[in-house]
Amino acid sequence: MRADARKRREHIITTTCELYRTHHHDSLTMDNIAEAAGVGIATLYRNFPDRFALDMACAHYLFTVVISWQEQAINTFPTNPARVWTSFNQTLFDKGLGSLVPALAPESLDELPEDISALRQTTEDNIATLIGLAKEQGLVHANITPGTYILGLITISRPPITALATISTNSHAPLLGLYLSGLKHGAMATSIGKHDEHP
């Protein structure tokens, strides 16, 4: 692939990721994406024959970026655990993980192409490593699993509901601090036994 064609393809992918971060996936058409990327619809389809191909290209790009962040965090963790842990989570939070993951996830993980599935496994392995390092430093409670951590981060990094944004300016940002603090204390049991019930 020529350098200019490769650059155009990469621009389409990064533009699409930004659109998915700020708009609901199903609200966007291929025409919307082509217009935002500044390319003709024929050029878009020449690079990505259908929406699934474009989504998987975005997923490949994002997994690769996240893996690079993970590896950097793992390698620098011993230098300043608290700072590295906070910075890593802040980066994922700021990049809109809560919007991008649902937008790019297929109905079943079995539908992921082999190369994307391998990247996903690498991110999971890296997260397990990071969670282990954070537990050793008292930054994450022993009962927090990698799955719980990921689901929690995805949930809090979703864009705030527009109507609620009027309650407080920048009301979404403090959620990360609350979440990281909660990780230190662990998951609290929510079921109430008979001996705990009130009449």
Side-chain angles (χ1 to χ4, degrees), residues 138-190:
L139 298 169
V140 173
H141 192 277
N143 70 4
I144 299 295
T145 66
T148 298
Y149 161 78
I150 285 293
L151 288 175
L153 190 58
I154 288 172
T155 300
I156 67 163
S157 59
R158 288 174 179 169
I161 298 171
T162 303
L164 297 182
T166 59
I167 296 176
S168 173
T169 58
N170 201 29
S171 59
H172 194 223
L175 287 177
L176 179 61
L178 289 171
Y179 177 63
L180 294 179
S181 178
L183 288 177
K184 291 183 180 181
H185 297 284
M188 184 177 67
T190 55

Side-chain angles (χ1 to χ4, degrees), residues 21 31 68 70 83 97 99 101 107-108 115 117 156 162:
R21 191 179 73 82
D31 286 310
S68 70
Q70 291 175 329
R83 180 180 59 78
L97 186 70
S99 299
V101 171
E107 291 291 328
S108 168
D115 61 328
S117 184
I156 67 163
T162 303

Side-chain angles (χ1 to χ4, degrees), residues 3-32:
D4 58 336
R6 184 182 301 107
K7 185 175 181 180
R8 186 182 305 113
R9 177 184 172 86
E10 291 171 354
H11 175 65
I12 293 171
I13 292 171
T14 55
T15 299
T16 303
C17 289
E18 180 60 23
L19 287 172
Y20 286 171
R21 191 179 73 82
T22 55
H23 297 74
H24 191 279
H25 179 277
D26 294 338
S27 71
L28 295 166
T29 65
M30 292 291 268
D31 286 310
N32 297 148

Side-chain angles (χ1 to χ4, degrees), residues 20-176:
Y20 286 171
R21 191 179 73 82
T22 55
H23 297 74
H24 191 279
H25 179 277
D26 294 338
S27 71
L28 295 166
T29 65
M30 292 291 268
D31 286 310
N32 297 148
I33 293 169
E35 181 179 0
V39 300
I41 191 67
T43 298
L44 180 61
Y45 276 111
R46 187 161 55 248
N47 282 274
F48 309 101
D50 53 40
R51 188 65 170 271
F52 183 76
L54 176 57
D55 285 353
M56 291 303 98
C58 289
H60 189 284
Y61 166 76
L62 288 168
F63 274 129
T64 301
V65 170
V66 170
I67 288 170
S68 70
W69 293 337
Q70 291 175 329
E71 291 175 346
Q72 180 180 18
I74 290 170
N75 292 333
T76 59
F77 209 91
T79 62
N80 191 329
R83 180 180 59 78
V84 172
W85 177 242
T86 300
S87 177
F88 171 72
N89 283 280
Q90 185 74 59
T91 298
L92 292 180
F93 184 84
D94 290 344
K95 295 301 180 182
L97 186 70
S99 299
L100 291 168
V101 171
L104 299 174
E107 291 291 328
S108 168
L109 293 178
D110 293 336
E111 298 176 28
L112 289 174
E114 186 175 344
D115 61 328
I116 307 296
S117 184
L119 289 172
R120 184 184 71 84
Q121 185 60 55
T122 299
T123 63
E124 289 187 2
D125 293 343
N126 287 342
I127 282 298
T129 298
L130 278 167
I131 290 291
L133 292 171
K135 286 181 177 180
E136 291 175 2
Q137 298 296 325
L139 298 169
V140 173
H141 192 277
N143 70 4
I144 299 295
T145 66
T148 298
Y149 161 78
I150 285 293
L151 288 175
L153 190 58
I154 288 172
T155 300
I156 67 163
S157 59
R158 288 174 179 169
I161 298 171
T162 303
L164 297 182
T166 59
I167 296 176
S168 173
T169 58
N170 201 29
S171 59
H172 194 223
L175 287 177
L176 179 61

